[in-house]
Amino acid sequence: MITADLVFRAQRALVSPEDSGRPVERPATVAVRDGAVVAIFDLDAPVTLAAGGREIVLADDEVLLPGLVDSHVHVNEPGRTEWEGFASATRAAAAGGVTTIVDMPLNSIPPTVTTQALAIKQAVAAEKAVVDVGFWGGAVPEHLDDLPALHAAGVFGFKCFLLHSGVDEFPALDLAGLEKAMRIVAELDALLIVHAEDADVIDHAPAADGPTYARFLGSRPSGAENLAIAHVLELARRTGARVHILHLSSADAIPMIAAARRDGVRATVETCPHYLIFRAEEIADGATQFKCCPPIRGTDNQDLLWQALADGIIDCVVSDHSPCTPELKRFDSGDFGAAWGGIASLQLGLPAVWTAARDRGHELAEVVEWMARRPADLVGLPTKGRLAVGAAGDLAVFAPDETFVVDPGRLNHRNPVTPYAGRTLSGVVRSTWLAGRRVDTAADAPAGGSLLRRSGSEATAAGADLVGAGRP
């Protein structure tokens, strides 16, 4: 007889198969002990509760999911905490069913390009995070020699830009620098994640000035993405490096990515909810809350992104949560050229993608596969993003048929700016559980998350993923 601290009984649970493929929906009793799933039984199986243990019986309209993993989050702290911060970002994550985030190396000050900067960011996160947090390192021209030390310190890989990043303290790599970074990454068997837009193409495109969305779209042509992705794939072929294409917007690049994979290039790719939900034809002039880079493109392009997801060419869906203060969106002028490019959606990713996916005939299991296991596998967290024996007790209780209207003022994001405002979405996260404990998303909630480091890093004790635990 299994003894558990926490037991869930669910008519509908998305249970991961042993081969780590797409989860299967079935009735289940899930037993959690010491922060991990210790058994998955039939619905009516007996389980002994430990002293002080708790049994949760899900309602008929609820589904038990593994906690989601969002590997593309700009928390911006320290340095630009008025844009976001670990307290607000991780509360938003938990409210959206996300139990693990991986923080981008910008737009914090200092950016995470040295082990000293990493330590500063970790110290801040440890005091505030209510979900688990990992970190990407940065690959910038002056700090490529710091990549091995960052790798040893446990970052999950390295991010680079091929054009201006939007902040001066995180400069781009030229092609020679990109090749150098890839050779270092290949030697480490690490992962290089790339914002792939070609600077020269964009420099020769029309300016983005003014409130017209079509003009902004023309300033970031799909050819800029396509050319940059071609450079990344060719250098990955040449160096043997593992590469990941961030926030794919241009569907034109999909055949090229598929062909490179067939040739043995170690390349993965993500897209984001906003590319799957919004369409360029529907964005009003001056609506700078929709500005992101690369930009939201047209309906035909979106259809091809969905097809690539279904075909497995696009590996995962992550938020690219990149918030800012309302002033930086330039709502006073509606000038797309001057406005900050980034979309806040960390809390809304699951319902947004589920709403659109269901309309296209996809199942909830597919959405969870794209947003939980595959991002976890991308960063090398084998106990995350799945509901299986031995996995972390990170879970979400989700009501897929309940609808709500997005009110920015009720979100946990620091600033009430999102293009989802006023949109009706399906799917409400009713509770989120981290290592078997319910996450408190109140503004004064104590930190309960842990800092994550890559398994096998020098700073990780006994090969575990968790360090610097903040859990009580």
Side-chain angles (χ1 to χ4, degrees):
M1 180 74 70
I2 290 289
T3 300
D5 307 316
L6 179 66
V7 173
F8 289 92
R9 296 190 187 272
Q11 292 284 352
R12 301 172 63 190
L14 288 178
V15 178
S16 300
E18 291 184 2
D19 65 0
S20 292
R22 182 180 300 168
V24 176
E25 184 177 308
R26 67 176 178 86
T29 292
V30 177
V32 178
R33 186 176 65 232
D34 297 329
V37 176
V38 293
I40 300 176
F41 297 123
D42 292 337
L43 185 61
D44 297 325
V47 179
T48 300
L49 281 176
R54 185 176 180 186
E55 180 170 298
I56 308 292
V57 179
L58 270 62
D60 289 344
D61 67 336
E62 295 176 337
V63 185
L64 187 65
L65 312 180
L68 304 188
V69 176
D70 193 335
S71 57
H72 195 148
V73 179
H74 293 269
V75 178
N76 304 331
E77 188 175 23
R80 292 189 174 95
T81 309
E82 70 275 14
W83 295 17
E84 193 59 280
F86 284 101
S88 53
T90 57
R91 290 198 310 271
V98 178
T99 52
T100 300
I101 67 169
V102 188
D103 171 70
M104 284 291 166
L106 72 164
N107 303 299
S108 57
I109 302 173
T112 316
V113 296
T114 66
T115 55
Q116 294 86 353
L118 174 63
I120 291 170
K121 184 172 285 192
Q122 288 172 325
V124 175
E127 296 180 349
K128 299 181 179 181
V130 302
V131 301
D132 289 350
V133 180
F135 304 90
W136 295 107
V140 300
E142 293 184 359
H143 288 285
L144 293 182
D145 291 340
D146 288 282
L147 300 188
L150 276 168
H151 182 72
V155 298
F156 287 93
F158 306 99
K159 180 176 186 177
C160 69
F161 279 75
L162 302 185
L163 78 172
H164 195 281
S165 68
V167 292
D168 291 339
E169 67 272 8
F170 200 95
L173 297 177
D174 59 17
L175 290 182
L178 179 64
E179 181 171 359
K180 179 179 178 180
M182 281 200 194
R183 293 194 181 280
I184 295 170
V185 164
E187 182 69 23
L188 297 170
D189 194 25
L191 177 64
L192 187 70
I193 64 175
V194 186
H195 182 124
E197 290 182 283
D198 185 81
D200 188 60
V201 171
I202 290 176
D203 285 346
H204 287 84
D209 299 340
T212 304
Y213 185 76
R215 183 176 179 88
F216 167 64
L217 186 59
S219 76
R220 313 288 293 214
S222 58
E225 268 192 276
N226 302 337
L227 181 58
I229 290 171
H231 288 315
V232 170
L233 295 175
E234 177 53 35
L235 287 174
R237 186 193 316 270
R238 188 181 305 171
T239 62
R242 287 193 297 133
V243 296
H244 179 72
I245 305 299
L246 296 166
H247 43 51
L248 181 69
S249 163
S250 172
D252 296 340
I254 291 168
M256 172 172 36
I257 294 166
R261 284 178 170 172
R262 288 194 298 270
D263 291 344
V265 175
R266 297 194 293 170
T268 50
V269 61
E270 69 186 38
T271 194
C272 305
H274 37 277
Y275 301 127
L276 300 173
I277 296 1
F278 303 120
R279 303 176 180 93
E281 299 92 334
E282 300 169 351
I283 298 175
D285 290 348
T288 54
Q289 65 268 33
F290 289 90
K291 180 181 177 179
C292 57
C293 300
I296 295 163
R297 306 192 189 278
T299 299
D300 292 345
N301 182 86
Q302 184 183 91
D303 290 342
L304 292 171
L305 293 178
W306 275 104
Q307 187 60 53
L309 259 180
D311 293 342
I313 300 170
I314 295 176
D315 298 275
C316 54
V317 181
V318 293
S319 69
D320 188 10
H321 178 69
S322 185
C324 66
T325 60
E327 294 78 16
L328 290 175
K329 278 296 187 181
R330 302 295 178 94
F331 293 126
D332 54 344
S333 65
D335 187 339
F336 278 97
W340 175 258
I343 286 180
S345 64
L346 181 55
Q347 186 169 335
L348 299 170
L350 175 57
V353 175
W354 166 235
T355 300
R358 183 165 62 175
D359 287 346
R360 290 175 176 265
H362 294 285
E363 298 178 351
L364 182 58
E366 294 175 85
V367 173
V368 171
E369 173 78 351
W370 301 330
M371 302 185 77
R373 183 187 66 82
R374 288 188 186 174
D377 287 352
L378 171 71
V379 298
L381 290 172
T383 65
K384 298 283 191 176
R386 63 208 79 207
L387 178 47
V389 174
D394 299 351
L395 303 162
V397 176
F398 185 61
D401 298 322
E402 183 179 350
T403 62
F404 68 101
V405 177
V406 177
D407 177 355
R410 296 177 64 86
L411 298 177
N412 287 283
H413 304 159
R414 181 174 293 275
N415 293 290
V417 177
T418 177
Y420 293 93
R423 197 174 187 93
T424 299
L425 300 178
S426 295
V428 172
V429 176
R430 292 183 176 166
S431 64
T432 300
W433 302 74
L434 181 68
R437 295 185 179 89
R438 184 167 180 166
V439 181
D440 184 354
T441 60
D444 58 352
S450 289
L451 307 188
L452 305 179
R453 291 190 174 105
R454 178 183 47 78
S455 292
S457 60
E458 292 176 2
T460 301
D465 294 322
L466 302 179
V467 297
R471 296 186 186 125

